[in-house]
Amino acid sequence: MLNSIKNCFNTEDFRKLAKRKLPFPVFHYIDGAADDEVTLRRNTQAFEEVDLIPNVLKGVENIDISTEIMGKKIDAPLFFSPTALQRLFHYEGELAVGKAAEKFNTFFGISSLATVSIKEIGNRFSCPKLFQLYIHKDKGLNESMIEKCKINNFDAIAITVDTIVGGNRERDLYTGFTSPPKLDLKSFLSFAFHPDWTLNYLFRKKFELPELQDFVQEGTNINISIGDYFSTMLDQSITWDSISDIKNKWGGHLCLKGIMSVEDAKKAIDVGATAIMVSNHGGRQLDGSRSPFDQLAEIVDAVGDKIDVICDGGIRRGTHVLKALSLGAKACSGGRMYLYALAGSGHKGVERAYSLIQDEIIRDMKLMGCRSLKELNRNNLRFR
Ligand SMILES: Cc1cc2nc3c(=O)[nH]c(=O)nc-3n(C[C@H](O)[C@H](O)[C@H](O)COP(=O)(O)O)c2cc1C
């Protein structure tokens, strides 16, 4: 029973399940963050320092929680942030998350380091799709990914701008986590004690990073830590001009993921972005960076009427989404809120995790006396 998703009612329950199911290097890769993990903790704590003020007797029998971002209507204001290496967490990988995105009609973000190809995702899923682009030194690789997004009907590209070098993820240094995972003396016992995971990894479809493997060996055939991958493969010379170039090549909706300052939010508009994800990469990059929720009001006040502002990271509850929307975000997004559940039970886990938070959003909207997301505003909130 302990290992059943039926006993999971919130993100923390799924986290405990993932911890039981995964070899420790893999679990800590998901769960961990940079340096002292101060930012990781703050990302969620920030929501707890603001209180909601409900209104009552508002006739909330029928409510609407749909919103529109990057030109697409989604049924709830929460979507799946792009995350790398998903088939290491469960053999269904991105296909599990895609099924859930399709079922709930929300944005499905996939990473440059996805374990399923852009083509397969494009063929299988008709939900709104976002491709996350890491700008590599290899320009041919960048162009190949952009071209594939065009051919395969992706709706938006999100360029991650906070990963110019790898964050100092010390848990990965302790565990020796690499992509692909290496079986060494240190981790051997953990793999041996998780035979389901190990057998799935060894005998199901071979682990690969389809977008990268024709261009780089690292990550698929050569073991490398994710930090080293970023620091050696990504282009540290990029500037705002590089973003304009990509925008011109792509031509569709462009999102910048990892914007934290008002100055940069304004520049995002100048280069033609339609959306920004206010994000510190789930605390995995610059520890000590402000949390997205703490920084949201400043950014919304400066650019909220000109660009879709998305609050990314720290979301563990429906009330967190309501608080971010009350400050003016158009939607929220998250990684760990679905990754623990993916590790716990593939697509069934992801669907359960998303539907629990979606139910919370609906219940909390009714308890707040709000019939549509437009009714959420700063009068609903008090900072302690
Ligand atoms: C295991 C893991 C892998 C991630 N991989 C990527 C990635 O490949 N590209 C990217 O832009 N962000 C990546 N992220 C960051 C997420 O897109 C998102 O910003 C972050 O998870 C938000 O914080 P949260 O986990 O608290 O929701 C990753 C996050 C996690 C936890």
Side-chain angles (χ1 to χ4, degrees):
M1 279 306 267
L2 268 182
N3 276 339
S4 162
I5 52 166
K6 289 200 187 101
N7 288 329
C8 292
F9 297 98
N10 54 55
T11 313
E12 184 53 29
D13 290 342
F14 284 111
R15 179 179 176 274
K16 287 182 189 145
L17 181 61
K19 194 169 187 183
R20 282 197 292 277
K21 291 229 167 177
L22 291 174
F24 71 78
V26 182
F27 172 76
H28 288 295
Y29 169 65
I30 301 176
D31 198 53
D35 295 3
D36 299 310
E37 304 188 349
V38 173
T39 292
L40 169 69
R41 288 189 294 278
R42 179 68 199 169
N43 283 354
T44 299
Q45 268 164 15
F47 291 105
E48 317 306 338
E49 285 167 23
V50 180
D51 296 316
L52 290 162
I53 313 285
N55 288 310
V56 295
L57 303 176
K58 298 282 290 285
V60 289
E61 200 179 359
N62 299 308
I63 66 163
D64 177 13
I65 60 162
S66 66
T67 185
E68 193 180 310
I69 47 167
M70 295 175 269
K72 285 278 164 182
K73 183 172 179 261
I74 52 175
D75 289 353
L78 178 66
F79 70 90
F80 299 105
S81 297
T83 58
L85 313 182
Q86 288 181 11
R87 274 188 39 228
L88 290 186
F89 315 148
H90 188 277
Y91 64 87
E92 293 172 6
E94 283 79 1
L95 299 183
V97 184
K99 271 189 194 165
E102 189 97 331
K103 179 169 175 180
F104 295 103
N105 184 40
T106 193
F107 256 100
F108 171 26
I110 70 157
S111 166
S112 290
L113 275 64
T115 54
V116 176
S117 69
I118 295 175
K119 185 172 175 199
E120 186 169 354
I121 301 283
N123 283 338
R124 279 185 187 244
F125 300 111
S126 57
C127 59
K129 291 174 287 296
L130 168 144
F131 180 76
Q132 175 272 325
L133 181 72
Y134 280 129
I135 304 182
H136 284 71
K137 285 178 189 159
D138 184 335
K139 292 198 169 38
L141 169 55
N142 301 330
E143 278 165 25
S144 138
M145 292 191 279
I146 296 168
E147 212 40 50
K148 286 182 195 164
C149 288
K150 280 191 194 167
I151 297 168
N152 293 290
N153 301 321
F154 270 64
D155 300 286
I157 283 185
I159 304 177
T160 297
V161 288
D162 59 14
T163 311
I164 208 79
V165 290
N168 178 37
R169 303 178 192 171
E170 291 181 358
R171 291 204 223 178
D172 294 348
L173 301 179
Y174 290 124
T175 65
F177 178 82
T178 58
S179 172
K182 62 172 181 281
L183 202 62
D184 59 9
L185 216 55
K186 208 167 162 189
S187 54
F188 176 76
L189 277 183
S190 183
F191 290 105
F193 278 118
H194 295 90
D196 284 355
W197 183 93
T198 306
L199 292 174
N200 280 325
Y201 177 70
L202 292 175
F203 296 114
R204 291 196 187 255
K205 195 169 172 257
K206 187 176 174 288
F207 173 83
E208 53 184 20
L209 302 176
E211 301 316 329
L212 307 184
Q213 62 201 21
D214 291 344
F215 294 84
V216 292
Q217 293 299 302
E218 288 81 351
T220 307
N221 295 325
I222 302 174
N223 308 94
I224 188 167
S225 80
I226 291 298
D228 285 347
Y229 185 89
F230 291 148
S231 299
T232 55
M233 300 294 163
L234 303 190
D235 184 356
Q236 296 184 21
S237 72
I238 54 170
T239 63
W240 287 96
D241 290 339
S242 325
I243 305 294
S244 300
D245 286 350
I246 288 172
K247 164 79 190 163
N248 292 337
K249 287 201 176 94
W250 162 236
H253 283 280
L254 182 74
C255 172
L256 296 186
K257 177 173 184 288
I259 294 293
M260 286 298 292
S261 74
V262 167
E263 191 185 334
D264 285 351
K266 288 181 178 164
K267 285 185 187 151
I269 297 172
D270 295 341
V271 294
T274 338
I276 49 172
M277 289 166 84
V278 180
S279 173
N280 54 38
H281 214 108
R284 298 161 78 80
Q285 287 297 107
L286 177 67
D287 198 30
S289 176
R290 208 164 186 223
S291 84
F293 183 67
D294 283 326
Q295 188 60 358
L296 196 57
E298 248 182 59
I299 293 186
V300 167
D301 289 345
V303 299
D305 56 340
K306 298 183 198 77
I307 197 166
D308 294 341
V309 178
I310 295 153
C311 181
D312 172 71
I315 306 285
R316 304 290 182 265
R317 287 287 186 186
T319 49
H320 299 163
V321 176
L322 262 57
K323 287 175 181 178
L325 267 59
S326 297
L327 280 187
K330 272 204 113 178
C332 293
S333 60
R336 296 176 184 88
M337 58 135 193
Y338 74 88
L339 285 179
Y340 297 130
L342 170 66
S345 201
H347 80 274
K348 289 197 193 104
V350 179
E351 287 177 15
R352 181 165 169 82
Y354 189 90
S355 95
L356 284 166
I357 301 195
Q358 192 187 47
D359 288 350
E360 287 183 10
I361 295 172
I362 294 169
R363 185 185 314 116
D364 298 335
M365 283 284 287
K366 292 187 176 194
L367 290 171
M368 284 293 292
C370 292
R371 285 157 299 195
S372 82
L373 300 179
K374 285 194 191 77
E375 292 178 28
L376 292 169
N377 60 59
R378 292 187 195 177
N379 292 332
N380 304 144
L381 296 179
R382 290 293 179 281
F383 287 81
R384 288 188 193 164

